[in-house]
Amino acid sequence: MPEIEQPVGTTLPADETPNTDTRSFGPASTPTHPLATAPVGMPSHSVDGFVREFLHELNTNQGVTLSRSSVNDQYLALASTVKNYLMARWLETGRKTREAKAKTIGYLSAEYLLGRQLGNALLATDLNEVASKGLELCGLDLATLRAQEVEPGLGNGGLGRLAACFIDSLATMDVPCIGYGIRYEYGIFRQTFVDGRQVEQPDTWLALGSPWEFPHPEASVQVNFGGHTEKATGADGKERTRWVPAWNVLGVPYNYMVPGYLNGRVNTLRLWSAQATKAFDLQIFNSGDYAQAVRAQTFAENISKVLYPEDSTPQGKELRLQQQYFFVACSLRDFIDNELEEDFDLHNLPERITYQLNDTHPVIAVPELMRLLIDEHDFAWDEAWEVTRHCFNYTCHTLLPEALEVWPTELLGRLLPRHLEIIYQINEEFLDDVREAFPGDEIRARRMSMIAEHPERGVRMAYLATVAASKVNGVAELHSQLLRDKVLPDFSELWPDKFTNVTNGVTPRRFVKLANPRLSDLISDAIGSGWVTDLERLKELEPYADDPEFKEKFREVKAANKTRLTTLLKARDGIELPDGHLLDVMVKRLHEYKRQSLKLLHIVSLYEQVTSGKLSASDLTPRTVVFGAKAAPGYKIAKDTIYLINKVAAKVNAAPELEGRLKVAFPANYNVTLAEELIPAADLSEQISLAGMEASGTGNMKLALNGALTIGTDDGANVEIRRLVGDKHFFLFGMNEPQVAELSAKGYDPGSYYQSNEQLRSALDLILSGHFSDGDQHQFDSVVFNLLNEDRFMALADFQSYIDAQAKVEERYADQEAWTRSAILNVARTGYFSSDRAMRDYLQRIWHTTPMI
Ligand code: 26W
């Protein structure tokens, strides 16, 4: 990075300076035309009107006639058409919210895993039928155009998808919300398999055009980095700190519509893209080094270039900290400058915004708000802290110690010197409070310090978040309890009321209505369509669990969804799914704690028993196991596990004995789009993490809502799913969290399970023999030796219990009437897991605000 001082006076000549004054909105003089004061009208909902609009977009936006248009042209024109239907509502939502001066939720998240936009926009505007008919009249097929969309994969997994569900629910519930995040040019990598190994390809989601975004370069925000601070005494005799940054970049906002379901509200998701500042370029251009200046541009743009694909171990990378500060600085500035009245008194900021910190990734917002208030708005420290601590709440999404972010002070001080000073002062004042509450307990004070001393000096971002937040929440009951008792015990002792739980939820719009139209119609035929925005009404389905006609139709829906999946996987991956199998689905990031290896041991064991003649294939329940999982590119064991799954799959699928009985499918690049196809077809949902490790899980909720039965441990939201659906309709296995803690304390010896369990030993021995690796006995050392010697997540300890639970699965599945009954009851009893309910909980317990209607 070029070390340049903040350039002064490098402005463009007046006649070449574009107007970027975002403070003066609207025309210079009062408009007189009647249309100029109202938002544009909405296009008509008739098929004719739709066709006219679509062809107009095709001609004027794409510049092609229908007969010369590509599928991509058609998709882009269709997207524009649907956007036009949303536009008036979007503008009206903004007007209404500003006028009401309503409190806004500022959701700060480094990730949003949105999924495709077109289907959701059609759903929210009730345009599906009109669009489908209109396109048909043009000789086009809606499904083909929908398939053209590349989903914006701007997240890794659960946390990013949760953010997307939450903003959907807030819009649907008429709550003002701005989602703030980063417009990564490359989202989560595209996974391919080469000879069974994961190979990552860049995700070029913007390549064919991005019709859903609205860039506003004129509203760009400058973000400073580096440099040093200076103290100066002002004319009033007060000492002030001045940050003299070394370099800066521009944040360009890109707005996305977040439509509520059929309610006319359209909220905004604002993602920031990094660009070089003019001043930044000019400084170097003026020095005559043109090539260096262009390189500097690339440097600035790197900040929003790529999503970090790690989903549990923060790597302490400088660019990642740059990303975090970049989007947070833009977002805070944006709200103060553009959403509030010009004369707004920032002492009242908590009345107008509440920032939700989605994990620790945006926590640098805390010192940033302090800096804004103190250095730029002349607040005293105590006044600034009073405002700040009422503006933030913090959600923790993990329990893994290695996933808690700690930023080295060396790095923080170099990149954000003023922020580090502020953090030190927050910490000092906080520790004074601790000492006052626990006099003489210096050990405790040291334990609670935001500054870790080992292995290097660093800022514990979770502690900073906890101190600054009004409320801290976990994402499922068990997780929130463990957060209080094990991760932040000192803090919950000091502030018991600060801690709360909000169990996660998922949006029924995308994950039932859109993904599973057949089930949706069946449900609506039985109980009406109110469930889509009031998911607890699924309870009304309970009596249908004993209705033979309904049960038959329910089975037909599942079968049709399997056929749909079969067609897709054949075309997408060349995978053939057999008919009539129990579809056993494990979809989630590849991580040791999630224990894909345990599922694999089950498969290997079935294979081993049948091929060695211990078990007759005809005794097996015909089953297809589907995996979907990406591994972080630097996570060796996870990648080796993927390789092992593919190698085992190849053997299993080729074994003549298992033909028609056992099949393993591992379609590459599991993402939201594939989830929407897989989940509705699933019979069995694998939620087999070691108890106490999975904060919540949300795939578990989606699968249950789509009528899959869960085989799972007492972990995360499984606990609540089981409580709601009932023990009979959930296959529980494994140790619970206290048992895990006990075994851990006693000393866990995985080898003892290998020694004492014949079935487990045979499965592991078969892998060790090189059977799945063309005779190479060491190919899978990293996976197998790890299980035998360390097995941090105790897969071997839970093996037998898992096998026993699978036997119960098979028994139930053999009785199709009983299985269907359980499946229907899973749907009927899991309405609680709607993200609408989760948002209601946040509104009541954390945000203290209500919808606008
Ligand atoms: C590299 C830093 C990092 C660390 C953690 C990046 C991302 C994370 C996330 C916390 C990972 C994540 O997605 N957590 C998941 O959050 C879901 C939503 O609350 C939960 O349902 C999952 O249990 C949790 O693993």
Side-chain angles (χ1 to χ4, degrees):
M1 173 51 220
E3 274 298 310
I4 53 162
E5 280 301 309
Q6 173 93 324
V8 278
T10 45
T11 48
L12 290 169
D15 57 346
E16 287 180 29
T17 309
N19 186 346
T20 53
D21 180 2
T22 52
R23 262 291 175 195
S24 59
F25 298 105
S29 60
T30 313
T32 49
H33 192 285
L35 283 181
T37 50
V40 291
M42 224 183 309
S44 102
H45 258 63
S46 72
V47 173
D48 270 359
F50 189 91
V51 169
R52 213 169 308 126
E53 196 77 23
F54 170 71
L55 293 175
H56 178 77
E57 290 300 327
L58 199 56
N59 297 160
T60 57
N61 259 350
Q62 298 309 116
V64 290
T65 57
L66 181 57
S67 62
R68 298 287 302 160
S69 60
S70 64
V71 174
N72 199 55
D73 287 327
Q74 296 152 12
Y75 157 68
L76 292 174
L78 177 58
S80 293
T81 308
V82 180
K83 266 187 331 195
N84 293 345
Y85 280 80
L86 286 165
M87 186 53 75
R89 294 165 175 159
W90 199 19
L91 302 177
E92 182 58 14
T93 300
R95 192 193 62 74
K96 215 172 66 176
T97 308
R98 271 189 293 274
E99 201 174 276
K101 301 189 176 166
K103 184 158 161 183
T104 296
I105 311 306
Y107 203 79
L108 295 178
S109 178
E111 304 190 6
Y112 290 89
L113 203 41
L114 296 170
R116 284 178 178 162
Q117 296 299 290
L118 177 56
N120 189 56
L122 286 168
L123 187 70
T125 44
D126 201 18
L127 274 172
N128 235 316
E129 226 170 276
V130 170
S132 171
K133 283 192 187 136
L135 291 171
E136 211 181 297
L137 292 173
C138 298
L140 303 175
D141 169 42
L142 175 57
T144 310
L145 301 202
R146 277 178 56 179
Q148 180 65 16
E149 180 172 354
V150 181
E151 71 168 72
L154 309 184
N156 272 289
L159 163 142
R161 182 53 236 176
L162 188 77
C165 284
F166 281 4
I167 59 176
D168 176 89
S169 282
L170 289 173
T172 296
M173 293 161 67
D174 223 334
V175 176
C177 166
I178 305 177
Y180 285 112
I182 302 172
R183 178 184 177 271
Y184 300 104
E185 194 178 326
Y186 297 91
I188 186 69
F189 63 85
R190 195 163 64 82
Q191 178 192 52
T192 57
F193 296 139
V194 175
D195 298 331
R197 288 191 184 276
Q198 170 176 298
V199 173
E200 302 90 22
Q201 308 279 346
D203 162 49
T204 55
W205 70 288
L206 294 166
L208 291 178
S210 48
W212 302 102
E213 60 184 21
F214 294 81
H216 283 279
E218 80 292 352
S220 296
V221 177
Q222 182 179 309
V223 183
N224 296 321
F225 290 97
H228 61 276
T229 62
E230 289 172 358
K231 298 247 183 283
T233 309
D236 55 2
K238 272 205 291 188
E239 192 185 67
R240 288 186 179 76
T241 305
R242 196 168 81 91
W243 176 19
V244 185
W247 54 282
N248 52 47
V249 300
L250 274 187
V252 182
Y254 283 67
N255 292 338
Y256 299 74
M257 296 168 161
V258 184
Y261 176 69
L262 300 182
N263 70 343
R265 185 172 190 94
V266 182
N267 279 340
T268 299
L269 171 63
R270 187 160 296 150
L271 303 182
W272 299 94
S273 175
Q275 244 183 35
T277 50
K278 283 273 177 322
F280 187 109
D281 299 345
L282 272 176
Q283 174 91 4
I284 313 174
F285 276 100
N286 288 345
S287 76
D289 191 345
Y290 169 77
Q292 168 63 9
V294 175
R295 275 202 301 277
Q297 244 166 14
T298 308
F299 173 87
E301 282 154 23
N302 261 343
I303 291 184
S304 56
K305 187 67 74 183
V306 58
L307 167 79
Y308 274 98
E310 280 71 38
D311 75 331
S312 60
T313 40
Q315 303 278 305
K317 291 265 169 62
E318 177 158 355
L319 187 57
R320 197 177 159 88
L321 182 58
Q322 288 175 13
Q323 292 185 333
Q324 297 183 350
Y325 178 62
F326 166 72
F327 96 87
V328 149
C330 290
S331 306
L332 295 193
R333 171 74 71 183
D334 172 69
F335 189 79
I336 293 174
D337 286 358
N338 299 326
E339 304 293 335
L340 295 173
E341 307 79 74
E342 209 160 343
D343 59 352
F344 184 81
D345 178 356
L346 289 175
H347 289 92
N348 302 324
L349 191 60
E351 290 168 18
R352 294 292 291 278
I353 188 136
T354 177
Y355 286 113
Q356 193 64 32
L357 300 167
N358 200 23
D359 220 86
T360 53
H361 319 152
V363 169
I364 198 71
V366 170
E368 172 65 0
L369 183 56
M370 288 295 284
R371 187 192 70 79
L372 284 173
L373 295 175
I374 296 170
D375 297 358
E376 300 194 6
H377 293 273
D378 222 18
F379 276 44
W381 177 273
D382 289 346
E383 275 178 307
W385 183 243
E386 192 56 20
V387 170
T388 300
R389 69 189 190 86
H390 284 103
C391 277
F392 290 102
N393 298 291
Y394 161 53
T395 306
C396 174
H397 294 265
T398 188
L399 278 165
L400 290 176
E402 68 262 36
L404 295 172
E405 288 184 302
V406 179
W407 287 110
T409 52
E410 182 279 319
L411 171 56
L412 246 174
R414 182 154 46 79
L415 207 60
L416 301 168
R418 178 65 180 133
H419 297 76
L420 184 58
E421 283 176 8
I422 292 173
I423 292 169
Y424 281 143
Q425 191 169 341
I426 296 176
N427 191 42
E428 251 172 56
E429 306 220 341
F430 162 63
L431 292 181
D432 285 347
D433 293 349
V434 173
R435 291 189 182 103
E436 204 178 295
F438 301 95
D441 196 348
E442 195 45 37
I443 295 186
R444 179 189 297 260
R446 228 174 273 174
R447 242 185 359 237
M448 294 179 80
S449 173
M450 287 169 208
I451 311 300
E453 298 294 340
H454 303 288
E456 58 184 329
R457 226 170 128 77
V459 179
R460 298 168 165 139
M461 301 307 272
Y463 289 14
L464 173 56
T466 302
V467 171
S470 294
K471 293 280 177 185
V472 175
N473 75 288
V475 290
E477 284 173 16
L478 174 66
H479 174 237
S480 294
Q481 179 213 317
L482 295 172
L483 187 64
R484 265 189 297 253
D485 299 349
K486 302 218 160 158
V487 184
L488 301 167
D490 292 321
F491 293 85
S492 65
E493 198 182 332
L494 183 62
W495 299 308
D497 296 340
K498 200 182 261 215
F499 289 79
T500 185
N501 169 250
V502 179
T503 298
N504 282 167
V506 302
T507 172
R509 269 73 64 187
R510 181 174 292 271
F511 289 106
V512 186
K513 181 89 175 135
L514 197 59
N516 200 342
R518 290 183 183 90
L519 179 63
S520 299
D521 288 347
L522 180 64
I523 297 172
S524 295
D525 285 348
I527 64 168
S529 58
W531 59 273
V532 180
T533 50
D534 183 4
L535 205 61
E536 297 270 10
R537 287 183 57 182
L538 290 178
K539 278 212 176 73
E540 295 165 28
L541 282 178
E542 282 212 21
Y544 292 91
D546 294 306
D547 175 337
E549 201 186 323
F550 186 89
K551 287 167 90 176
E552 188 51 42
K553 286 189 183 150
F554 189 91
R555 275 193 292 272
E556 282 166 18
V557 164
K558 204 42 107 182
N561 289 340
K562 287 183 187 177
T563 307
R564 182 182 81 168
L565 178 66
T566 303
T567 311
L568 176 86
L569 290 188
K570 177 90 184 74
R572 184 188 185 272
D573 305 88
I575 293 174
E576 304 264 5
L577 290 187
D579 271 351
H581 276 204
L582 181 162
L583 201 73
D584 177 352
V585 172
M586 183 162 191
V587 285
K588 50 188 79 253
R589 284 296 289 253
L590 201 309
H591 203 292
E592 288 162 278
Y593 84 79
K594 295 179 187 279
R595 303 198 295 191
Q596 278 90 355
S597 54
L598 180 57
K599 175 79 251 170
L600 195 65
L601 286 174
H602 173 225
I603 297 167
V604 170
S605 174
L606 291 176
Y607 171 87
E608 191 276 330
Q609 291 177 81
V610 172
T611 51
S612 67
K614 291 178 210 158
L615 183 68
S616 158
S618 59
D619 289 337
L620 287 185
T621 299
R623 173 194 305 245
T624 295
V625 181
V626 183
F627 286 97
K630 288 181 185 178
Y635 187 176
K636 179 161 189 318
I637 295 187
K639 290 181 101 170
D640 287 349
T641 305
I642 285 181
Y643 185 44
L644 180 54
I645 295 173
N646 279 324
K647 286 299 214 182
V648 169
K651 282 278 185 198
V652 168
N653 297 340
E657 305 95 307
L658 286 163
E659 175 85 44
R661 289 280 152 185
L662 183 62
K663 163 110 192 172
V664 181
F666 193 168
N669 202 40
Y670 176 66
N671 57 9
V672 177
T673 304
L674 183 57
E676 289 171 24
E677 299 281 341
L678 263 174
I679 289 172
D683 293 307
L684 186 64
S685 161
E686 300 272 352
Q687 309 300 336
I688 62 177
S689 52
L690 176 65
M693 291 295 157
E694 188 69 270
S696 162
T698 45
N700 48 1
M701 301 169 185
K702 295 163 197 165
L703 282 152
L705 278 165
N706 280 279
L709 275 63
T710 305
I711 182 164
T713 48
D714 221 8
D715 198 15
N718 294 354
V719 175
E720 291 154 75
I721 294 177
R722 180 167 67 96
R723 188 162 70 221
L724 283 163
V725 303
D727 283 337
K728 265 189 71 183
H729 311 290
F730 184 109
F731 302 98
L732 175 71
F733 76 97
M735 296 176 284
N736 61 21
E737 192 279 328
Q739 289 167 333
V740 170
E742 194 188 313
L743 181 55
S744 231
K746 206 171 75 186
Y748 172 57
D749 171 22
S752 65
Y753 296 87
Y754 171 84
Q755 294 302 339
S756 63
N757 189 322
E758 209 269 327
Q759 190 181 341
L760 172 62
R761 191 167 60 246
S762 305
L764 282 165
D765 283 349
L766 190 61
I767 303 173
L768 283 167
S769 75
H771 181 80
F772 299 106
S773 38
D774 314 308
D776 181 345
Q777 301 188 344
H778 297 289
Q779 187 94 84
F780 297 114
D781 279 2
S782 75
V783 181
V784 183
F785 282 140
N786 192 287
L787 285 177
L788 284 171
N789 296 314
E790 189 185 347
D791 191 17
R792 192 177 151 207
F793 301 102
M794 302 180 171
L796 303 199
D798 278 345
F799 175 81
Q800 190 57 50
S801 170
Y802 182 55
I803 297 296
D804 296 345
Q806 287 288 1
K808 295 203 178 106
V809 168
E810 296 185 2
E811 202 184 305
R812 180 77 52 88
Y813 197 73
D815 180 351
Q816 276 294 295
E817 284 303 314
W819 183 276
T820 309
R821 181 165 188 275
S822 289
I824 295 170
L825 289 176
N826 264 267
V827 179
R829 294 175 178 174
T830 47
Y832 175 76
F833 299 104
S834 166
S835 45
D836 301 347
R837 187 272 314 148
M839 290 296 88
R840 257 193 314 278
D841 287 352
Y842 275 90
L843 288 168
Q844 282 166 14
R845 288 181 217 156
I846 299 180
W847 298 331
H848 308 299
T849 174
T850 48
M852 272 187 68
I853 37 168

